[in-house]
Every structure is written in structure tokens, then in C-alpha cells.
Amino acid sequence: MPAMKRPAAAMETSAPAVTATAGELQRMLTVIEEEVLPKTEKAVQEGNKVFGAAVLKDAEDLPTVIAETNHEMLCPLYHGEVYTIKQLSELPQDQRPPPEQCLFLSTHEPCCMCVSAIVWAGYKKIVFLFPYETTRDQGIPHDLQIMHELWNVERYQVKNKFCSSKSIKELIEALPKKEQAPLNDQVKRITDKYSDLSTKYHTEKTANASNTLAFG
């Protein structure tokens, strides 16, 4: 089968670049730590995975629109990002800002299903804390494996016509050195909490009769 040519328009335009100040990064990390993580801790108790997400208004102080977490015990498609979009879609319309005016924040780099869902929902900017490699090391290698097996790629294009994505680590590294230390301390604290939750999930999943996920 001949290779498909990319439409010219896809090569001429791209989504806006993701940038962040130290204050904005601190805000994103605080949303993860204080709004997403408590929901994830409760959800892991119910047998769900550790992945969560939030939608922030891309405005001063990055106000939270919604913060949610993984609910695969309800439906295998309810990854953190998909469940967040689903819950947001059920809010009154006046509480749902246009997606192009928002930032999509994920605790972990979105899998192929989730990044597609984010794009289909209209979000242009994606920021995540943990890259695929961390997810793999936490015992969930499926993100990388599925993309490789289905499309023979390592990951999606991080800057493309539809969205731009960036890790918090990359954004921190772009800051002046003097601004990095407190953010790295916050990342370390959050990382330790997610490592503990990941261990809990993997320790308990084999005894969870309700966990019939194809990719546990």
C-alpha cells in the first residue's frame, strides 16, 4: 500500500507553543497535588489506576475548571483524561469555557486514546508531569507498546496542527536556575506520592476480582 501523503495544510500550521512561568508551573503542580491527587487516592482504593487530569482556564492564575481521575473500574475507556472530558461535558454550559481558551493538564503523558480524545474535544495545549517512560517504570508499559504495535511509532508528534504538548520537567528546565529548585522540590514530593500509589495499585490488583481490564 503506498504511503499516505500528509495534507499540505497540516504542514503549514501548528498549535500554539506551550510555555509557562515559574508561578504557572507552581500552580499546575498544586492542582495535581491538592485537587487531582486526593481523588486519585480514593479511586485507587476502589481498584482504579493512578492517572488523573484537570482542565485549567488559560488565564491569570490558571483557575481550575475541573479536576478528575481514572475510573476504569466503571468503564475501561475511563482513563483519567477521558473521564475528565466526560465529566466536564456534563457541567452547565456556562461553566464550560471554550477548549481553545484552556490548558489540559495530565498527571501522566496521555496515551494514544487520551491524546486523541483531548484533540477531539478541542484542546490545543497539553501539559503533563510524568512522561511515558515513568509510566512504564511504574508498571504500565501499554502506552508505548500500543503505539509501537499499532503505528510503529515511539510517540505522537508533540507539536502538530492540532495540539502542542510539553512536560513540566521540560518547562522547569527552561526557567532560570534560581527558579527551578522549589519547583523540583514540589515535583519530588508529588513523585513520591504517586510512586506509593502505583505500588499500592499493583500490589492489590491481582486480588481485585473486579479488575478484568485487558491492560491492567
Side-chain angles (χ1 to χ4, degrees):
M1 180 182 295
M4 292 180 64
K5 293 183 178 180
R6 292 176 62 195
M11 295 184 285
E12 294 170 359
T13 61
S14 61
V18 177
T19 60
T21 65
E24 289 169 338
L25 288 167
Q26 183 184 36
R27 167 65 182 155
M28 293 180 212
L29 290 167
T30 299
V31 169
I32 291 174
E33 188 169 20
E34 297 183 1
E35 299 183 49
V36 177
L37 188 55
K39 292 190 174 186
T40 301
E41 289 170 336
K42 183 176 184 296
V44 169
Q45 294 276 7
E46 299 166 355
N48 297 288
K49 295 196 186 87
V50 300
F51 311 119
V55 173
L56 311 180
K57 187 78 181 294
D58 193 7
E60 187 176 3
D61 298 329
L62 297 177
T64 303
V65 179
I66 192 169
E68 268 299 345
T69 194
N70 183 289
H71 281 280
E72 286 183 71
M73 289 294 95
L74 291 177
C75 171
L77 301 184
Y78 282 172
H79 291 197
E81 296 90 338
V82 171
Y83 192 75
T84 298
I85 293 169
K86 178 257 184 191
Q87 291 296 92
L88 187 148
S89 72
E90 296 176 0
L91 293 176
Q93 188 168 1
D94 62 358
Q95 296 179 28
R96 288 182 274 137
E100 63 271 15
Q101 296 177 12
C102 295
L103 173 75
F104 201 99
L105 176 65
S106 291
T107 58
H108 296 68
E109 188 169 7
C111 72
C112 53
M113 177 182 74
C114 290
V115 74
S116 297
I118 292 166
V119 167
W120 276 107
Y123 296 96
K124 304 292 186 184
K125 294 182 180 181
I126 304 168
V127 177
F128 57 88
L129 178 54
F130 302 113
Y132 289 140
E133 291 75 16
T134 301
T135 307
R136 177 198 62 203
D137 294 344
Q138 289 177 346
I140 307 288
H142 320 307
D143 299 350
L144 290 168
Q145 290 177 353
I146 288 173
M147 270 192 281
H148 176 73
E149 291 296 327
L150 292 184
W151 298 292
N152 195 29
V153 296
E154 296 300 320
R155 58 180 11 96
Y156 60 95
Q157 291 193 104
V158 297
K159 185 167 176 56
N160 57 73
K161 178 180 178 180
F162 301 108
C163 69
S164 295
S165 72
K166 206 94 169 182
S167 72
I168 286 178
K169 179 181 178 182
E170 290 175 295
L171 292 167
I172 291 175
E173 289 174 348
L175 295 172
K177 289 288 185 183
K178 64 181 180 180
E179 297 181 348
Q180 294 182 19
L183 293 169
N184 285 328
D185 289 344
Q186 194 172 8
V187 168
K188 172 67 165 59
R189 185 171 67 244
I190 295 170
T191 299
D192 289 345
K193 292 178 181 178
Y194 272 98
S195 294
D196 290 344
L197 278 177
S198 179
T199 298
K200 178 179 175 62
Y201 169 76
H202 287 292
T203 300
E204 297 177 358
K205 70 179 181 180
T206 53
N208 182 1
S210 298
N211 190 338
T212 59
L213 296 172
F215 298 98

